[in-house]
Amino acid sequence: MLQGFIALSSALTDEHTLDQDLALAYLERVRGTEPHGQHLERLIQVFEEIQESGGGIDEQIEKKIMKDASLGPLARQIIFLWYTSALPSDDGKVWEFGSAQQYFAALMWASVHAHAPGLSGGYFGHWKYAPDN
Amino acid sequence: MSDEFDVIVIGAGVAGALVAWELSQAKLRVLILEAGQRGPDRVDLVGNFATASSKTTRSPYKDVDGDKFAPSPEREKDYYEQSTSTDLFRSTYERRVGGSTWHWLGNVPRFIPNDFRMKTTYGVGVDWPITYDDLEPWYCKAEHAIGVSGDHEELQNLFGAYRSLPFPMSKIWASYSDLKVAQAIRGLEYDGLQVKILSTPQARNSQPYQGRPLCAGNSTCVPICPIQAKYDATVHIALAESYGALLREKSVVTRLIVDDDMHVRKVIYKTWDNAEHEATGKIIVIAAHAIESPKLLLMSRSDRAPNGVANSSGEVGRNLMDHLQGAGTALAREPLFPFRGPPTTSGIDVFRDGEFRHKRSAFRMSLGNDGWGRVESPYDTLFKLVKEQGLFGERLKEKLADRVTRQFRISYSTEMLPRDHNRVTLSEEKDALGIPRPSIHMGLDDYNRLGFQKAWDVMRAIFTAMKADEISTPTDPNKYSGAGHIMGTCRMGEDPRRSVVDAECRAHDHRNLFIIGASVFPTGATANPTLTAAALALRAADTIKKQIGG
């Protein structure tokens, strides 16, 4: 199940070197969410079928996962976890974080060419230059 | 039996720490009483921040016991009682060893000469009993004491604020965003003034200083610097202790006792276990910031001080000021790469003084390196893209990057005039130690509303010159946020009928009582108050040394 979760997470986040320990922690967190966490196994299975089908992966994710009433919200939770290490309330106003380690591993910051607030971005003055990453 | 000391300092924030350091170096027996606690360690505080649901200025410091026995406000409706306010007082502070410097941004501009003579120059507010010239040498000492990085040439003579010494460290480098914005608005004029972007002087190391590392751009100055490249007052608490000062944490002062000769020598305090203690000092220094200091003075009413300690004038608690702030946002044409480096590295100072101060507030502007701040955080942006637009995978990454890297904001910080109806008094509500909570009354002036509107217009001019999209500036002149710059409630003055302390921060009513920190400011100007508070504290320490020695 973990490898399936990692493969799914890679497709949802466009990140291809996801940490295994983090993946396990996020798998457990998302499995525990209400009301959609119970559908995690089915979600991973649907994604495996998409991978095996040989068609356009993103189009099928869109159709069979993102637009599904149970699988869509669950997939979005997975995206939020990897990007922020947190799960948002329905209105996005309250975010529930996990551990500090997860917070510092959040992917969103590298996506915007920055770093998790609280971690150093590099040497003194690096902010003067366009980012390397 | 009470402990006897040469000096008791009430409050272990930046003002109290500097005084304690100076006086303990001079071999005086110093006791520091701090309502809050020392711990936990910095790494644990950073962990608290990382896991906090709401990453507020308090998020590292929340603590079950601390919040019960030495509560600090988190929001305007928290801890303060504000039932009579027409407009809410929105600033907060932190009660712990090191005080609010744990979460401060660390910007340290000086006041300018006209800030000290508003009444004479513009017919509003009051004049200080000291001038910029009087304070200038102390500004230099304060910059060296706390470690300030700045551009000496660039800031030399800003509105006449001459600098007799260079900064101890060269400036914090401008961000990529600052440089791009400066290019885009080159030559921009407003009201006949060139809109010039200047480097912001900061208590943030640009080289190793005092055994602390240089800034590595962790970007969480507010609410905590993980590596202490940003100054906080635990630096001078540690120095004071190394010279023999004694710090008692979790010690909330509840009363000051006035003797027959109108000296204040005895201090009563409660520890968090609700036990009462007392200590005596030849000199008492109140440095509990601008809400708790007047609160303590008012709580100490007695036959000898029927209005409260140091309050024969009735001014204690009055003239409460803050810097009323706001921000405008826009989407730049090209990426500016925010969320790197300190939250701000440059500002616009050209609107900090001028004839307009007769009728509307001056303001200082800061260029943000923090995207759209609270208007739309990256979490908000991500949420919209995922939930509302249904994006995922590569498209999500691209859109998120495209949007967040172009988010830019400017904030403005306006001056409040001192008004006697803006004040701190005692609430009927009590905290867990049975101490009255502060009651605040606050009301907004047209002086500020007109200042806000001018700032909005300047921001629009800047965003337009940048050819930015999605320009958004506030529209409601009754809306503002607080800066955490709490001032004015024990003001300095020559006339004992209209002020609480004299030009040397000595209480008019009690010769051995000193009050320091931003509570003594007669006017608030547009500069972050900490450097001025630090300069006044060092100057007061000098006075105390001479007074106690003589």
Side-chain angles (χ1 to χ4, degrees):
Chain A
M1 171 114 128
L2 179 61
Q3 293 313 313
F5 180 78
I6 291 175
L8 167 67
S9 299
S10 284
L12 291 175
T13 62
D14 192 40
E15 286 292 332
H16 304 290
T17 48
L18 296 176
D19 182 81
Q20 296 249 12
D21 290 336
L22 205 50
L24 186 57
Y26 287 163
L27 187 158
E28 292 303 330
R29 279 181 71 186
V30 86
R31 180 150 58 183
T33 60
E34 298 280 343
H36 303 290
Q38 58 182 305
H39 303 293
L40 182 60
E41 269 193 62
R42 182 162 71 88
L43 171 60
I44 292 172
Q45 198 180 341
V46 168
F47 179 69
E48 278 168 0
E49 286 163 11
I50 290 173
Q51 282 181 302
E52 280 156 18
S53 73
I57 291 195
D58 279 358
E59 290 78 10
Q60 291 191 71
I61 290 176
E62 176 85 39
K63 196 163 133 199
K64 295 177 182 169
I65 293 178
M66 303 314 277
K67 291 201 149 94
D68 182 278
S70 311
L71 301 187
L74 192 53
R76 286 188 275 281
Q77 302 272 56
I78 293 171
I79 294 173
F80 288 133
L81 269 180
W82 283 106
Y83 265 84
T84 68
S85 80
L87 289 168
S89 55
D90 285 342
D91 59 2
K93 297 236 187 301
V94 179
W95 292 76
E96 195 188 306
F97 287 81
S99 68
Q101 202 179 5
Q102 289 172 14
Y103 169 81
F104 287 117
L107 299 177
M108 172 162 71
W109 304 102
S111 299
V112 302
H113 309 283
H115 57 87
L119 268 189
S120 166
Y123 56 89
F124 170 84
H126 71 272
W127 51 86
K128 180 178 166 184
Y129 309 108
D132 297 328
N133 61 329
Chain B
M1 164 111 96
S2 66
D3 291 318
E4 293 174 19
F5 295 86
D6 292 319
V7 184
I8 298 178
V9 178
I10 301 170
V14 59
L18 286 169
V19 161
W21 166 60
E22 280 285 338
L23 300 182
S24 56
Q25 260 195 100
K27 298 190 175 14
L28 295 173
R29 265 200 87 215
V30 178
L31 170 68
I32 310 163
L33 293 171
E34 167 53 45
Q37 60 187 322
R38 268 193 213 261
D41 287 342
R42 187 174 300 264
V43 64
D44 295 322
L45 295 173
V46 174
N48 291 347
F49 161 77
T51 56
S53 173
S54 186
K55 301 208 183 306
T56 60
T57 48
R58 286 223 72 218
S59 53
Y61 312 110
K62 285 187 186 182
D63 173 82
V64 171
D65 286 341
D67 294 354
K68 199 166 155 199
F69 299 116
S72 303
E74 170 127 47
R75 275 173 298 272
E76 55 269 9
K77 291 177 184 159
D78 178 47
Y79 182 48
Y80 304 137
E81 186 273 299
Q82 297 206 59
S83 52
T84 66
S85 283
T86 49
D87 306 284
L88 292 178
F89 185 78
R90 295 186 186 276
S91 276
T92 62
Y93 52 97
E94 192 61 42
R95 293 163 86 193
R96 61 184 294 104
V97 176
S100 305
T101 55
W102 273 98
H103 72 221
W104 74 318
L105 180 47
N107 286 359
V108 284
R110 295 182 178 190
F111 276 31
I112 55 169
N114 279 343
D115 293 339
F116 294 88
R117 50 183 189 225
M118 289 289 284
K119 186 73 177 176
T120 302
T121 315
Y122 300 117
V124 295
V126 294
D127 288 345
W128 289 53
I130 59 173
T131 63
Y132 178 85
D133 290 355
D134 294 324
L135 203 54
E136 203 282 327
W138 302 98
Y139 271 134
C140 294
K141 287 191 159 66
E143 285 167 356
H144 279 78
I146 71 179
V148 176
S149 300
D151 189 327
H152 177 72
E153 273 76 40
E154 196 175 61
L155 292 171
Q156 182 64 276
N157 280 316
L158 178 73
F159 291 114
Y162 69 92
R163 301 180 47 83
S164 60
L165 284 182
F167 289 101
M169 292 182 273
S170 57
K171 69 180 179 190
I172 296 291
W173 293 2
S175 64
Y176 178 86
S177 174
D178 293 341
L179 300 170
K180 286 289 174 186
V181 172
Q183 266 171 17
I185 72 165
R186 188 168 291 137
L188 178 67
E189 281 193 4
Y190 187 94
D191 277 359
L193 299 168
Q194 228 214 325
V195 180
K196 212 169 148 212
I197 293 174
L198 297 182
S199 153
T200 300
Q202 306 169 45
R204 205 171 334 280
N205 293 349
S206 63
Q207 63 199 54
Y209 197 83
Q210 290 170 336
R212 296 182 289 114
L214 56 167
C215 178
N218 295 59
S219 310
T220 49
C221 313
V222 182
I224 183 166
C225 178
I227 64 173
Q228 211 182 20
K230 180 191 79 172
Y231 174 83
D232 67 70
T234 62
V235 168
H236 283 95
I237 292 295
L239 285 169
E241 288 180 297
S242 76
Y243 284 112
L246 178 63
L247 168 70
R248 289 185 187 148
E249 57 171 331
K250 305 179 183 177
S251 299
V252 187
V253 178
T254 56
R255 213 153 81 251
L256 306 166
I257 307 295
V258 179
D259 292 336
D260 284 343
D261 61 355
M262 295 304 282
H263 277 53
V264 175
R265 294 185 182 87
K266 191 186 288 186
V267 166
I268 312 289
Y269 63 98
K270 274 193 176 181
T271 41
W272 287 11
D273 56 0
N274 220 344
E276 201 168 78
H277 312 264
E278 53 185 58
T280 60
K282 294 177 188 153
I283 300 268
I284 309 294
V285 180
I286 302 180
H289 210 347
I291 305 259
E292 298 294 335
S293 295
K295 201 185 98 175
L296 173 59
L297 296 172
L298 295 173
M299 277 160 58
S300 303
R301 284 192 172 98
S302 66
D303 290 340
R304 292 190 192 109
N307 267 353
V309 166
N311 197 25
S312 62
S313 64
E315 296 289 353
V316 166
R318 293 189 190 272
N319 312 299
L320 173 64
M321 295 174 287
D322 188 4
H323 290 127
L324 305 183
Q325 299 193 323
T329 58
L331 211 59
R333 278 174 51 171
E334 53 176 324
L336 297 180
F337 302 115
F339 301 106
R340 305 158 71 228
T344 178
T345 35
S346 301
I348 296 167
D349 293 83
V350 72
F351 303 106
R352 289 177 59 192
D353 196 20
E355 281 306 303
F356 58 81
R357 289 175 96 180
H358 286 291
K359 53 180 185 339
R360 66 152 175 92
S361 171
F363 51 85
R364 187 176 180 276
M365 298 181 120
S366 292
L367 271 55
N369 295 326
D370 56 353
W372 281 9
R374 288 188 204 286
V375 170
E376 180 179 308
S377 72
Y379 296 95
D380 296 328
T381 306
L382 177 73
F383 187 81
K384 283 183 193 170
L385 293 174
V386 172
K387 187 117 186 240
E388 291 167 19
Q389 293 186 34
L391 298 183
F392 64 93
E394 197 182 341
R395 279 218 65 216
L396 170 62
K397 219 190 220 180
E398 279 167 4
K399 275 271 189 162
L400 183 67
D402 176 63
R403 188 165 179 81
V404 173
T405 58
R406 294 189 294 134
Q407 285 173 337
F408 173 64
R409 76 182 187 119
I410 301 172
S411 61
Y412 55 89
S413 195
T414 65
E415 173 177 23
M416 272 180 82
L417 291 178
R419 298 285 191 221
D420 65 15
H421 56 256
N422 290 337
R423 64 191 294 211
V424 180
T425 52
L426 302 178
S427 169
E428 293 296 311
E429 295 174 27
K430 307 271 201 284
D431 65 23
L433 288 179
I435 298 168
R437 290 150 80 93
S439 178
I440 295 190
H441 178 90
M442 159 95 172
L444 198 55
D445 271 351
D446 280 343
Y447 193 82
N448 277 106
R449 294 188 185 94
L450 292 171
F452 298 158
Q453 288 165 333
K454 186 56 84 170
W456 304 342
D457 214 43
V458 172
M459 291 193 299
R460 276 193 292 270
I462 294 172
F463 292 143
T464 303
M466 287 171 63
K467 299 190 170 57
D469 288 322
E470 294 189 39
I471 295 173
S472 175
T473 53
T475 51
D476 185 348
N478 293 309
K479 284 207 155 74
Y480 52 88
S481 53
H485 300 166
I486 313 174
M487 302 170 281
T489 49
C490 298
R491 73 178 178 191
M492 202 189 252
E494 278 169 359
D495 184 351
R497 291 165 304 174
R498 301 200 60 222
S499 58
V500 178
V501 299
D502 64 18
E504 293 171 318
C505 296
R506 186 191 293 105
H508 288 298
D509 296 348
H510 314 285
R511 229 196 149 263
N512 75 324
L513 178 70
F514 288 77
I515 304 172
I516 57 175
S519 57
V520 307
F521 291 13
T523 59
T526 57
N528 314 58
T530 301
L531 189 72
T532 303
L536 287 169
L538 291 171
R539 189 166 170 272
D542 201 55
T543 301
I544 292 168
K545 271 189 267 186
K546 290 174 177 134
Q547 181 166 318
I548 211 170

